[in-house]
Amino acid sequence: MAEQTESGKKILYVDDEEGLALLGEEFLGDLGYVVTSAFDGEGALAEFKSAEPVFDLVVTDESMPGMSGIELAQKLYQCAPQTPVILCSGHMLSMEEPGMDQTNIVAVLLKTDVCLKLPDMLEDYL
């Protein structure tokens, strides 16, 4: 597990496509963030609950087997309502998706826009 550096914020990056999660981890790591990857909702929830110090933000895929990104965000909200979540998807989502009102999802992002738009979003929410 990654340690938080003096200047780095801790991010949990969740995607069931392992290659995309690792790519996100490397991309955000190169920007100075301390990133941990998880490859499903259950693993992400366990990682989140055991993290010391806590994660500053979570980036999660929406469409994952077992637990969707919105369901994960709901569970994260129950244990840490102050932690912002950015929801990524391969298809267009809005901030009005069912169940989002019970989360701290602060933004939705197309996966194709991650490299272009995510860095600015992180600055807004961290």
Side-chain angles (χ1 to χ4, degrees):
M1 191 160 115
E3 292 290 321
Q4 184 172 16
T5 61
E6 194 170 43
S7 62
K9 296 284 189 170
K10 278 185 68 173
I11 297 174
L12 178 60
Y13 200 100
V14 187
D15 198 306
D16 63 308
E17 294 181 51
E18 191 172 322
L20 290 178
L22 295 173
L23 185 63
E25 180 179 343
E26 183 177 346
F27 173 65
L28 297 180
D30 288 347
L31 296 176
Y33 297 103
V34 178
V35 187
T36 300
S37 294
F39 310 119
D40 59 43
E42 290 296 332
L45 190 58
E47 189 72 46
F48 186 88
K49 288 180 176 180
S50 68
E52 285 295 329
V54 297
F55 287 100
D56 297 296
L57 184 137
V58 176
V59 178
T60 184
D61 184 16
E62 162 47 18
S63 182
M64 298 184 291
M67 182 188 304
S68 73
I70 292 175
E71 291 168 331
L72 172 60
Q74 290 170 339
K75 292 181 184 295
L76 295 174
Y77 184 75
Q78 291 171 356
C79 57
Q82 75 286 357
T83 304
V85 176
I86 296 175
L87 186 69
C88 296
S89 178
H91 58 278
M92 185 62 81
L93 294 176
S94 74
M95 290 295 291
E96 305 297 321
E97 300 298 320
M100 286 178 77
D101 58 335
Q102 302 155 5
T103 72
N104 195 22
I105 295 173
V106 294
V108 294
L109 182 64
L110 280 170
K111 281 188 177 184
T112 55
D113 290 337
V114 166
C115 291
L116 181 64
K117 296 182 179 178
L118 185 58
D120 289 337
M121 285 183 171
L122 295 177
E123 287 186 26
D124 290 343
Y125 299 111
L126 289 174

